[in-house]
Amino acid sequence: MVFFGDPSATVVHACVRDGRGGSPTAVLDDGPFGEDVRRRVPKEAGTSHAVFVSPRPARDGLPVYSLRFFTSEGELPSCGHGTVAALGYLAARADTDAYRVFLRVAGRTFPGWAERKGSYAEVGFAYGPVELREPAAGESELVLPALGIAPDTLGRPEALRPDPLGRPETPVPGTLGRPETPVPGTLGRPETPVPDTLGPDTPGRPGALAPGPVRPGVRVASVGRPRLLVPVASRSGLAALAPDMERLRAACDRLGLLGCYVYSVPSPSGRVAARMFAPSIGVPEDIANANSTACLAAHLAGRGIGRIAVDMGDSLGSPATISATTRDGVVRLGGGVLITRPRP
Protein backbone atom coordinates (compact mmCIF):
# COMPACT_ATOMS: atom_id res chain seq x y z
CA MET A 1 0.00 0.00 0.00
CA VAL A 2 1.37 3.40 -0.94
CA PHE A 3 0.35 6.79 0.41
CA PHE A 4 1.73 10.33 0.47
CA GLY A 5 3.74 9.46 -2.63
CA ASP A 6 6.29 7.44 -0.64
CA PRO A 7 7.26 4.25 -2.57
CA SER A 8 8.53 2.48 0.59
CA ALA A 9 5.18 2.60 2.44
CA THR A 10 4.09 -0.93 3.36
CA VAL A 11 1.43 -2.54 5.52
CA VAL A 12 2.81 -5.34 7.67
CA HIS A 13 0.54 -7.73 9.57
CA ALA A 14 2.38 -8.12 12.88
CA CYS A 15 2.10 -11.05 15.29
CA VAL A 16 0.01 -13.27 13.01
CA ARG A 17 -1.32 -16.59 14.29
CA ASP A 18 -0.96 -19.68 12.11
CA GLY A 19 -0.16 -17.46 9.14
CA ARG A 20 -3.24 -15.25 9.33
CA GLY A 21 -4.70 -12.28 11.17
CA GLY A 22 -2.27 -10.08 13.04
CA SER A 23 -2.23 -6.33 13.57
CA PRO A 24 -1.97 -4.31 10.34
CA THR A 25 0.76 -1.70 10.82
CA ALA A 26 1.95 0.95 8.37
CA VAL A 27 5.74 1.04 7.98
CA LEU A 28 7.54 3.62 5.85
CA ASP A 29 10.87 5.34 5.46
CA ASP A 30 11.00 8.53 7.47
CA GLY A 31 11.05 11.87 5.72
CA PRO A 32 10.35 15.57 6.27
CA PHE A 33 6.84 14.92 7.59
CA GLY A 34 5.14 17.21 10.08
CA GLU A 35 3.37 15.70 13.07
CA ASP A 36 -0.03 16.30 11.50
CA VAL A 37 0.98 14.13 8.53
CA ARG A 38 2.42 11.42 10.78
CA ARG A 39 -0.84 11.30 12.71
CA ARG A 40 -2.81 10.97 9.47
CA VAL A 41 -0.84 7.97 8.24
CA PRO A 42 -2.63 5.30 10.34
CA LYS A 43 -6.05 6.45 9.17
CA GLU A 44 -4.96 6.71 5.53
CA ALA A 45 -3.42 3.23 5.71
CA GLY A 46 -6.35 1.68 7.59
CA THR A 47 -4.15 0.75 10.57
CA SER A 48 -4.02 1.67 14.24
CA HIS A 49 -0.29 2.52 14.22
CA ALA A 50 2.41 3.76 11.88
CA VAL A 51 6.18 3.24 12.14
CA PHE A 52 8.73 5.61 10.62
CA VAL A 53 12.15 4.07 9.89
CA SER A 54 15.44 6.01 9.64
CA PRO A 55 18.92 4.59 8.90
CA ARG A 56 21.78 5.27 11.31
CA PRO A 57 25.53 4.51 11.17
CA ALA A 58 26.28 0.77 11.24
CA ARG A 59 27.34 -0.91 14.47
CA ASP A 60 29.52 -4.02 14.73
CA GLY A 61 29.05 -4.61 11.03
CA LEU A 62 25.25 -4.63 11.30
CA PRO A 63 22.75 -2.03 10.06
CA VAL A 64 21.12 0.30 12.59
CA TYR A 65 17.70 1.91 12.25
CA SER A 66 15.81 4.29 14.52
CA LEU A 67 12.04 3.90 14.84
CA ARG A 68 9.27 6.39 15.63
CA PHE A 69 5.68 5.34 16.32
CA PHE A 70 2.46 7.25 15.81
CA THR A 71 -1.28 6.77 16.28
CA SER A 72 -3.94 9.27 15.27
CA GLU A 73 -3.55 10.84 18.74
CA GLY A 74 0.19 11.47 18.47
CA GLU A 75 3.61 9.93 19.02
CA LEU A 76 4.31 6.96 21.31
CA PRO A 77 7.69 6.48 23.03
CA SER A 78 7.73 2.83 21.96
CA CYS A 79 5.49 0.22 20.35
CA GLY A 80 6.15 -3.51 20.58
CA HIS A 81 4.06 -4.75 17.66
CA GLY A 82 5.29 -1.75 15.65
CA THR A 83 8.84 -2.96 16.31
CA VAL A 84 7.84 -6.45 15.13
CA ALA A 85 6.35 -4.91 11.98
CA ALA A 86 9.48 -2.84 11.33
CA LEU A 87 11.68 -5.94 11.61
CA GLY A 88 9.57 -7.73 9.00
CA TYR A 89 9.69 -4.69 6.73
CA LEU A 90 13.48 -4.32 7.02
CA ALA A 91 14.09 -8.04 6.48
CA ALA A 92 11.92 -8.05 3.35
CA ARG A 93 13.73 -5.03 1.96
CA ALA A 94 17.14 -6.60 2.67
CA ASP A 95 15.91 -9.66 0.72
CA THR A 96 17.78 -12.11 2.93
CA ASP A 97 16.47 -15.16 4.75
CA ALA A 98 18.44 -14.51 7.97
CA TYR A 99 18.45 -10.85 8.96
CA ARG A 100 20.20 -9.19 11.91
CA VAL A 101 19.93 -5.53 12.86
CA PHE A 102 20.18 -3.04 15.72
CA LEU A 103 17.14 -0.89 16.45
CA ARG A 104 17.11 2.42 18.29
CA VAL A 105 13.96 3.40 20.17
CA ALA A 106 13.53 6.09 22.83
CA GLY A 107 17.24 6.56 23.38
CA ARG A 108 18.26 2.91 23.67
CA THR A 109 19.68 0.48 21.12
CA PHE A 110 18.91 -3.26 21.09
CA PRO A 111 19.31 -6.23 18.72
CA GLY A 112 16.59 -7.58 16.45
CA TRP A 113 16.44 -10.56 14.13
CA ALA A 114 14.24 -12.12 11.45
CA GLU A 115 14.02 -15.48 9.70
CA ARG A 116 12.18 -15.13 6.37
CA LYS A 117 10.24 -17.58 4.25
CA GLY A 118 8.92 -15.55 1.36
CA SER A 119 6.41 -12.97 2.56
CA TYR A 120 6.31 -14.58 6.03
CA ALA A 121 8.94 -14.06 8.72
CA GLU A 122 9.50 -14.97 12.34
CA VAL A 123 11.02 -12.00 14.11
CA GLY A 124 12.15 -11.11 17.60
CA PHE A 125 14.07 -8.61 19.68
CA ALA A 126 15.54 -8.22 23.16
CA TYR A 127 13.50 -5.90 25.34
CA GLY A 128 14.67 -3.26 27.81
CA PRO A 129 13.83 -2.86 31.50
CA VAL A 130 10.22 -3.23 32.64
CA GLU A 131 9.04 -1.24 35.65
CA LEU A 132 6.47 -2.96 37.87
CA ARG A 133 4.67 -1.79 40.98
CA GLU A 134 1.50 -2.40 42.92
CA PRO A 135 -1.21 0.16 42.17
CA ALA A 136 -1.67 2.91 44.69
CA ALA A 137 -4.88 2.69 46.69
CA GLY A 138 -7.68 4.06 44.54
CA GLU A 139 -6.11 3.41 41.12
CA SER A 140 -7.86 0.07 40.65
CA GLU A 141 -11.10 1.50 41.98
CA LEU A 142 -11.28 3.98 39.11
CA VAL A 143 -10.40 1.55 36.34
CA LEU A 144 -12.05 -1.77 37.22
CA PRO A 145 -15.65 -0.45 37.06
CA ALA A 146 -14.92 1.15 33.66
CA LEU A 147 -13.70 -2.24 32.44
CA GLY A 148 -16.81 -3.93 33.80
CA ILE A 149 -14.78 -6.10 36.20
CA ALA A 150 -15.93 -6.80 39.75
CA PRO A 151 -13.03 -7.08 42.22
CA ASP A 152 -14.17 -10.55 43.34
CA THR A 153 -13.82 -11.87 39.77
CA LEU A 154 -10.13 -11.03 39.41
CA GLY A 155 -7.86 -13.94 38.55
CA ARG A 156 -4.91 -15.02 40.67
CA PRO A 157 -1.96 -15.51 38.29
CA GLU A 158 0.50 -15.44 41.17
CA ALA A 159 -0.54 -18.94 42.25
CA LEU A 160 2.15 -21.58 41.70
CA ARG A 161 2.33 -23.08 38.22
CA PRO A 162 5.01 -25.21 36.56
CA ASP A 163 7.75 -23.20 34.86
CA PRO A 164 8.02 -24.13 31.15
CA LEU A 165 11.79 -23.48 31.37
CA GLY A 166 12.14 -26.24 33.92
CA ARG A 167 13.26 -24.13 36.86
CA PRO A 168 12.17 -25.09 40.38
CA GLU A 169 9.00 -23.51 41.68
CA THR A 170 9.24 -20.71 44.19
CA PRO A 171 6.50 -20.03 46.74
CA VAL A 172 4.75 -16.74 45.98
CA PRO A 173 3.61 -14.47 48.83
CA GLY A 174 -0.01 -13.41 48.88
CA THR A 175 -1.65 -16.54 47.47
CA LEU A 176 -3.52 -17.16 50.71
CA GLY A 177 -5.17 -13.73 50.76
CA ARG A 178 -2.30 -12.00 52.58
CA PRO A 179 -0.74 -8.83 51.14
CA GLU A 180 2.06 -9.58 48.74
CA THR A 181 5.67 -8.64 49.21
CA PRO A 182 6.43 -5.80 46.74
CA VAL A 183 7.78 -7.05 43.44
CA PRO A 184 10.99 -5.39 42.20
CA GLY A 185 10.07 -2.39 40.12
CA THR A 186 12.27 -3.37 37.21
CA LEU A 187 14.25 -6.42 36.23
CA GLY A 188 17.30 -5.63 38.36
CA ARG A 189 16.23 -2.21 39.66
CA PRO A 190 14.37 -1.35 42.89
CA GLU A 191 10.76 -0.35 42.89
CA THR A 192 9.87 3.32 42.81
CA PRO A 193 7.89 4.27 45.94
CA VAL A 194 4.28 5.17 45.24
CA PRO A 195 2.01 7.05 47.65
CA ASP A 196 -1.10 5.34 48.98
CA THR A 197 -3.25 8.07 47.49
CA LEU A 198 -2.75 10.23 44.44
CA GLY A 199 -2.60 13.82 45.55
CA PRO A 200 -3.29 16.93 43.48
CA ASP A 201 0.43 17.54 42.90
CA THR A 202 1.04 14.21 41.17
CA PRO A 203 1.87 14.97 37.50
CA GLY A 204 -0.95 13.93 35.19
CA ARG A 205 -3.13 12.87 38.10
CA PRO A 206 -5.20 15.84 39.26
CA GLY A 207 -7.29 15.55 42.38
CA ALA A 208 -7.01 13.19 45.32
CA LEU A 209 -8.30 9.64 45.04
CA ALA A 210 -10.24 8.12 47.88
CA PRO A 211 -8.27 5.37 49.65
CA GLY A 212 -9.22 1.84 48.70
CA PRO A 213 -7.90 -1.71 48.94
CA VAL A 214 -5.01 -2.82 46.74
CA ARG A 215 -6.20 -5.65 44.49
CA PRO A 216 -3.89 -8.70 44.46
CA GLY A 217 -2.63 -9.52 40.99
CA VAL A 218 -3.26 -6.05 39.55
CA ARG A 219 -0.04 -4.27 38.58
CA VAL A 220 1.04 -0.97 37.10
CA ALA A 221 3.73 -1.71 34.50
CA SER A 222 5.76 0.58 32.28
CA VAL A 223 8.13 0.38 29.33
CA GLY A 224 7.97 4.12 28.73
CA ARG A 225 4.35 4.79 29.67
CA PRO A 226 2.46 3.06 32.49
CA ARG A 227 -0.46 0.76 31.93
CA LEU A 228 -2.57 -1.41 34.24
CA LEU A 229 -2.24 -5.20 34.09
CA VAL A 230 -5.51 -6.82 35.20
CA PRO A 231 -5.96 -10.61 35.56
CA VAL A 232 -9.29 -12.35 35.03
CA ALA A 233 -10.04 -15.96 35.86
CA SER A 234 -10.89 -17.32 32.41
CA ARG A 235 -10.80 -16.76 28.66
CA SER A 236 -14.59 -16.70 28.58
CA GLY A 237 -14.65 -13.93 31.17
CA LEU A 238 -12.12 -12.00 29.12
CA ALA A 239 -14.13 -12.43 25.92
CA ALA A 240 -17.28 -11.17 27.63
CA LEU A 241 -15.78 -7.81 28.64
CA ALA A 242 -17.50 -4.74 27.19
CA PRO A 243 -15.74 -1.70 28.72
CA ASP A 244 -17.32 1.73 28.91
CA MET A 245 -14.74 3.43 26.68
CA GLU A 246 -15.59 7.01 27.65
CA ARG A 247 -15.37 6.18 31.34
CA LEU A 248 -12.18 4.17 30.80
CA ARG A 249 -10.54 6.99 28.87
CA ALA A 250 -11.43 9.47 31.61
CA ALA A 251 -9.98 7.16 34.28
CA CYS A 252 -6.77 6.50 32.31
CA ASP A 253 -6.34 10.20 31.54
CA ARG A 254 -6.76 11.07 35.20
CA LEU A 255 -4.24 8.42 36.28
CA GLY A 256 -1.77 9.06 33.47
CA LEU A 257 -2.18 5.50 32.14
CA LEU A 258 -1.65 4.42 28.54
CA GLY A 259 -4.45 1.88 28.93
CA CYS A 260 -5.41 -1.46 30.47
CA TYR A 261 -4.12 -4.90 29.54
CA VAL A 262 -6.58 -7.55 30.75
CA TYR A 263 -5.40 -11.15 30.61
CA SER A 264 -6.50 -14.66 31.56
CA VAL A 265 -4.66 -16.70 34.18
CA PRO A 266 -1.85 -18.59 32.39
CA SER A 267 -2.25 -22.28 31.64
CA PRO A 268 0.44 -24.66 32.92
CA SER A 269 2.14 -24.36 29.51
CA GLY A 270 2.17 -20.55 29.71
CA ARG A 271 -0.67 -19.92 27.25
CA VAL A 272 -2.55 -16.68 27.92
CA ALA A 273 -5.35 -14.71 26.29
CA ALA A 274 -5.34 -10.91 26.56
CA ARG A 275 -7.12 -7.75 25.44
CA MET A 276 -5.59 -4.27 25.45
CA PHE A 277 -7.87 -1.25 25.81
CA ALA A 278 -6.20 2.11 25.10
CA PRO A 279 -8.82 4.75 24.21
CA SER A 280 -6.52 7.50 25.54
CA ILE A 281 -4.22 7.04 22.52
CA GLY A 282 -7.06 6.61 20.02
CA VAL A 283 -7.05 2.79 20.07
CA PRO A 284 -10.20 1.52 21.84
CA GLU A 285 -8.88 -2.05 21.52
CA ASP A 286 -5.53 -3.12 20.13
CA ILE A 287 -5.28 -6.26 17.99
CA ALA A 288 -1.80 -7.03 19.35
CA ASN A 289 0.15 -5.26 22.07
CA ALA A 290 3.69 -6.54 22.46
CA ASN A 291 4.82 -3.86 24.93
CA SER A 292 2.18 -4.95 27.44
CA THR A 293 3.06 -8.58 26.76
CA ALA A 294 6.65 -7.75 27.77
CA CYS A 295 5.26 -6.19 30.96
CA LEU A 296 3.25 -9.33 31.68
CA ALA A 297 6.27 -11.55 30.96
CA ALA A 298 8.37 -9.60 33.47
CA HIS A 299 5.60 -9.86 36.07
CA LEU A 300 5.06 -13.61 35.57
CA ALA A 301 8.81 -14.29 35.57
CA GLY A 302 8.72 -13.34 39.23
CA ARG A 303 6.02 -15.99 39.68
CA GLY A 304 8.08 -18.81 38.17
CA ILE A 305 6.69 -18.61 34.61
CA GLY A 306 9.56 -18.02 32.17
CA ARG A 307 7.80 -18.39 28.81
CA ILE A 308 4.36 -17.27 27.65
CA ALA A 309 2.40 -17.18 24.40
CA VAL A 310 -0.35 -14.56 24.41
CA ASP A 311 -3.38 -14.76 22.10
CA MET A 312 -5.00 -11.44 21.22
CA GLY A 313 -7.26 -10.00 18.53
CA ASP A 314 -9.96 -12.71 18.58
CA SER A 315 -12.62 -10.25 19.74
CA LEU A 316 -11.75 -8.09 16.70
CA GLY A 317 -11.75 -10.95 14.18
CA SER A 318 -8.00 -10.78 13.60
CA PRO A 319 -6.22 -13.48 15.62
CA ALA A 320 -2.73 -12.57 16.83
CA THR A 321 -0.15 -14.28 19.04
CA ILE A 322 2.90 -12.80 20.74
CA SER A 323 5.57 -14.92 22.41
CA ALA A 324 7.78 -13.76 25.28
CA THR A 325 10.65 -15.49 27.08
CA THR A 326 12.43 -14.20 30.16
CA ARG A 327 15.96 -15.41 30.89
CA ASP A 328 18.56 -13.83 33.15
CA GLY A 329 16.40 -10.76 33.62
CA VAL A 330 15.99 -10.11 29.87
CA VAL A 331 12.61 -10.30 28.10
CA ARG A 332 12.69 -11.41 24.46
CA LEU A 333 9.60 -10.82 22.34
CA GLY A 334 8.72 -12.55 19.10
CA GLY A 335 5.99 -13.07 16.55
CA GLY A 336 5.21 -13.89 12.95
CA VAL A 337 4.69 -11.23 10.29
CA LEU A 338 3.17 -11.13 6.82
CA ILE A 339 4.48 -8.41 4.53
CA THR A 340 2.36 -6.70 1.89
CA ARG A 341 4.87 -5.53 -0.69
CA PRO A 342 4.43 -1.91 -1.79
CA ARG A 343 2.89 -1.14 -5.17
CA PRO A 344 4.35 1.57 -7.42
Side-chain angles (χ1 to χ4, degrees):
M1 178 177 293
V2 178
F3 42 92
F4 302 124
D6 190 325
S8 64
T10 304
V11 171
V12 179
H13 293 259
C15 308
V16 298
R17 187 191 309 162
D18 299 327
R20 64 188 185 92
S23 180
T25 306
V27 187
L28 64 159
D29 291 329
D30 208 347
F33 306 127
E35 182 166 339
D36 59 335
V37 172
R38 297 175 189 275
R39 292 170 61 177
R40 281 169 45 204
V41 170
K43 182 177 180 180
E44 295 285 342
T47 65
S48 61
H49 296 68
V51 188
F52 295 82
V53 178
S54 299
R56 292 290 182 263
R59 171 178 169 177
D60 300 332
L62 293 177
V64 179
Y65 290 89
S66 66
L67 307 179
R68 294 181 66 185
F69 310 96
F70 279 80
T71 70
S72 60
E73 295 284 331
E75 187 167 12
L76 302 175
S78 64
C79 175
H81 82 265
T83 302
V84 168
L87 281 167
Y89 169 81
L90 291 169
R93 189 166 65 177
D95 198 24
T96 180
D97 292 339
Y99 182 70
R100 299 294 180 268
V101 66
F102 283 106
L103 300 175
R104 185 162 180 80
V105 175
R108 64 183 184 87
T109 303
F110 51 90
W113 53 88
E115 301 293 334
R116 284 184 60 228
K117 295 181 180 179
S119 62
Y120 176 79
E122 287 285 344
V123 309
F125 60 97
Y127 218 81
V130 176
E131 297 181 3
L132 290 165
R133 65 168 174 85
E134 293 186 5
E139 285 182 292
S140 298
E141 278 52 51
L142 276 180
V143 173
L144 294 183
L147 290 170
I149 297 176
D152 59 357
T153 64
L154 290 171
R156 300 300 297 267
E158 66 271 26
L160 283 177
R161 292 184 181 277
D163 180 5
L165 296 182
R167 295 175 300 191
E169 295 181 353
T170 303
V172 178
T175 56
L176 299 178
R178 297 187 296 268
E180 292 189 46
T181 302
V183 180
T186 62
L187 298 180
R189 296 197 299 191
E191 183 178 358
T192 303
V194 179
D196 287 337
T197 59
L198 301 177
D201 296 329
T202 306
R205 302 178 183 183
L209 295 179
V214 174
R215 302 298 180 186
V218 179
R219 290 289 179 275
V220 177
S222 178
V223 287
R225 290 182 64 179
R227 79 263 352 254
L228 204 65
L229 307 181
V230 180
V232 293
S234 66
R235 285 181 173 241
S236 60
L238 178 72
L241 289 180
D244 182 331
M245 289 299 173
E246 290 187 7
R247 187 177 181 185
L248 182 59
R249 177 167 188 159
C252 289
D253 287 348
R254 179 177 178 183
L255 296 168
L257 296 174
L258 173 77
C260 297
Y261 183 81
V262 188
Y263 64 97
S264 65
V265 172
S267 71
S269 66
R271 199 80 183 194
V272 181
R275 297 174 69 184
M276 177 65 180
F277 305 106
S280 291
I281 62 169
V283 185
E285 183 171 352
D286 211 353
I287 292 173
N289 195 287
N291 274 2
S292 297
T293 299
C295 292
L296 179 63
H299 169 52
L300 293 179
R303 303 296 183 260
I305 299 176
R307 180 182 291 120
I308 58 174
V310 178
D311 295 330
M312 301 188 71
D314 295 281
S315 59
L316 300 174
S318 186
T321 298
I322 308 160
S323 62
T325 303
T326 306
R327 284 183 182 273
D328 302 322
V330 178
V331 178
R332 291 175 172 81
L333 287 172
V337 300
L338 284 172
I339 302 117
T340 302
R341 293 190 178 277
R343 297 192 303 267

